[in-house]
Amino acid sequence: MKRQIITFALVGVINTATYYCLYLLFLMWLPYLAAHVLAFALSMVGSFFLNARFTYRTRPTWRKFLLFPLTNATNFVITTAGVYVIVDVLHAGSRFAPLLASAAAIPVTFVVSRWVMLPGRESRSIA
């Protein structure tokens, strides 16, 4: 499982870089919001296949593909709540709050991702 967590984090770095490069590319022709949505969707598809192949070493299926956006929704909820807590509750600065919140979201996002990619007994055996 340690290998999976490290690979999951590396795929996340690749996914973020892919998103940002695509965003900048699409920004040349599209309004920023359309560029964001298209880059986000394409990078999420890439993330799905990279995680299937390298993180979980599992066969991609339509079921897994359709459930995979749950990982992004989970990440969004946790990071948004984390930023709020760090800035408004703990009164820490807002500059690094997203980074701290994102780091805190990685374990939960990993668990959701593992549940999607390895349904059944495989996802429950954490050892």
Side-chain angles (χ1 to χ4, degrees), residues 17-30 35-36 39:
T18 300
Y19 159 78
Y20 191 62
C21 289
L22 288 172
Y23 173 74
L24 292 176
L25 178 70
F26 295 147
L27 199 55
M28 290 192 263
W29 298 285
L30 299 170
H36 162 70

Side-chain angles (χ1 to χ4, degrees), residues 9-107:
L10 289 173
V11 167
V13 169
I14 292 167
N15 184 50
T16 301
T18 300
Y19 159 78
Y20 191 62
C21 289
L22 288 172
Y23 173 74
L24 292 176
L25 178 70
F26 295 147
L27 199 55
M28 290 192 263
W29 298 285
L30 299 170
Y32 78 92
L33 200 51
H36 162 70
V37 170
L38 187 56
F40 187 86
L42 290 174
S43 65
M44 186 169 49
V45 170
S47 178
F48 169 76
F49 286 107
L50 288 173
N51 275 303
R53 171 70 176 98
F54 297 108
T55 304
Y56 301 110
R57 298 178 183 179
T58 186
R59 184 176 60 85
T61 65
W62 280 107
R63 179 190 178 282
K64 293 173 189 175
F65 182 76
L66 294 173
L67 288 173
F68 193 74
L70 290 174
T71 64
N72 288 296
T74 301
N75 190 305
F76 177 78
V77 168
I78 292 170
T79 55
T80 302
V83 167
Y84 170 77
V85 168
I86 291 167
V87 175
D88 286 339
V89 176
L90 300 176
H91 303 290
S94 60
R95 185 178 187 105
F96 296 108
L99 297 176
L100 294 171
S102 293
I106 290 171

